[in-house]
Amino acid sequence: MDGVTEQYSRRTILGVATAALATVALPGVAGAATARRRIPLDRISIQLYSLRSLLQNDPEGTLSALADIGYRKVELAGTYGRSATEFRAILDRCHLKASSTHVGIDGDLNQLIADAKILGNSLANVPFAQFATIAEWEAFAGRLNTAAAAFRTAGIKLGYHNHAHEFAPIDGVLPYDVLTAKTNKRDVHLEVDLFWAVTGGADPVELFRRHFPRVTQYHVKDMTADGQMTDPGTGVIDFPRIFAASCHNIAEYIVEHDQPTDPLNTAKVGFEYLRTVRF
């Protein structure tokens, strides 16, 4: 999500973009004639971090605009100075469900869970973690397990949202492999950020298959040919290929752009792409 693009030099981004050609679309290549599946509307969501510049001052107007676009679900990244009860009331007035949320797990878990229940969350994800050693990643995996067990008792599933650095080896070991090996497969699901996975050199289809059935959410953000983030459907990531291989297990396809120039336009472009894409 936030504050990580600068961690990767343009040279690095270009290198992984080239390596990711296996997951990008080639103009005119087959698929359109036989693609029939579509994403159900109730599985399309948007990460509200993409609209943070608007939500701080006008949460109701912004959420109402999302509903007008066609969204029925959103994923939270905070409540912008409002209490959980206040923000839930705004969501209800806009006829939106906050099915998912991004949370930290190092604070008061009981309060975190209580707020999530008020907000109506059924899914939660830790949005970011970064450590210098494998031992620290292993310790974090243990904390994830503890938090996930607490969330499970409240009827909420806890997962982890990747960036690119989890796919960079530390002493020959990938942090993502540590997270997936050291966390409880039943309790900790995976929210795969497709842009950052591709940036890190991973193939989302291979990730899905290797960790089935843990991958249950996608962050759908696209990549330009030179490795920059762009709105869904306007870049080169081959989303139909990814969706076709995994649609039977994905509960939410979540539109996101970390630094959009026009947040509501990103929301509209992303929704229309997910509504109309066939695979």
Side-chain angles (χ1 to χ4, degrees), residues 84-122:
T85 300
E86 290 168 338
F87 205 83
R88 173 62 186 269
I90 298 171
L91 288 165
D92 289 347
R93 288 195 295 271
C94 295
H95 306 288
L96 289 170
K97 178 178 175 58
S99 55
S100 184
T101 187
H102 275 191
V103 295
I105 57 170
D106 293 328
D108 184 342
L109 277 181
N110 290 330
Q111 185 60 56
L112 198 66
I113 291 168
D115 286 346
K117 291 178 72 173
I118 290 170
L119 289 160
N121 307 142
S122 56

Side-chain angles (χ1 to χ4, degrees), residues 23-183:
T23 58
V24 302
L26 298 176
V29 172
T34 58
R36 296 184 177 88
R37 287 171 292 191
R38 65 180 67 190
I39 297 171
L41 290 179
D42 63 1
R43 295 189 185 185
I44 298 175
S45 183
I46 186 167
Q47 168 53 251
L48 293 186
Y49 180 78
S50 302
L51 298 110
R52 62 196 181 277
S53 61
L54 305 178
L55 284 161
Q56 192 65 46
N57 295 322
D58 186 14
E60 188 145 0
T62 304
L63 292 174
S64 179
L66 291 178
D68 289 343
I69 289 170
Y71 287 98
R72 302 175 185 179
K73 289 182 175 182
V74 298
E75 182 177 56
L76 302 181
T79 55
Y80 305 93
R82 280 72 177 177
S83 69
T85 300
E86 290 168 338
F87 205 83
R88 173 62 186 269
I90 298 171
L91 288 165
D92 289 347
R93 288 195 295 271
C94 295
H95 306 288
L96 289 170
K97 178 178 175 58
S99 55
S100 184
T101 187
H102 275 191
V103 295
I105 57 170
D106 293 328
D108 184 342
L109 277 181
N110 290 330
Q111 185 60 56
L112 198 66
I113 291 168
D115 286 346
K117 291 178 72 173
I118 290 170
L119 289 160
N121 307 142
S122 56
L123 297 163
N125 293 282
V126 176
F128 181 84
Q130 188 167 26
F131 304 101
T133 68
I134 291 300
E136 289 174 297
W137 279 107
E138 290 176 339
F140 172 66
R143 296 198 298 276
L144 261 182
N145 280 329
T146 300
F151 271 85
R152 175 167 49 83
T153 63
I156 301 169
K157 297 178 180 179
L158 183 67
Y160 182 77
H161 165 277
N162 66 277
H163 287 84
H165 59 270
E166 294 91 342
F167 303 102
I170 299 174
D171 297 329
V173 180
L174 298 186
Y176 203 76
D177 289 346
V178 173
L179 281 177
T180 53
K182 298 291 185 179
T183 52

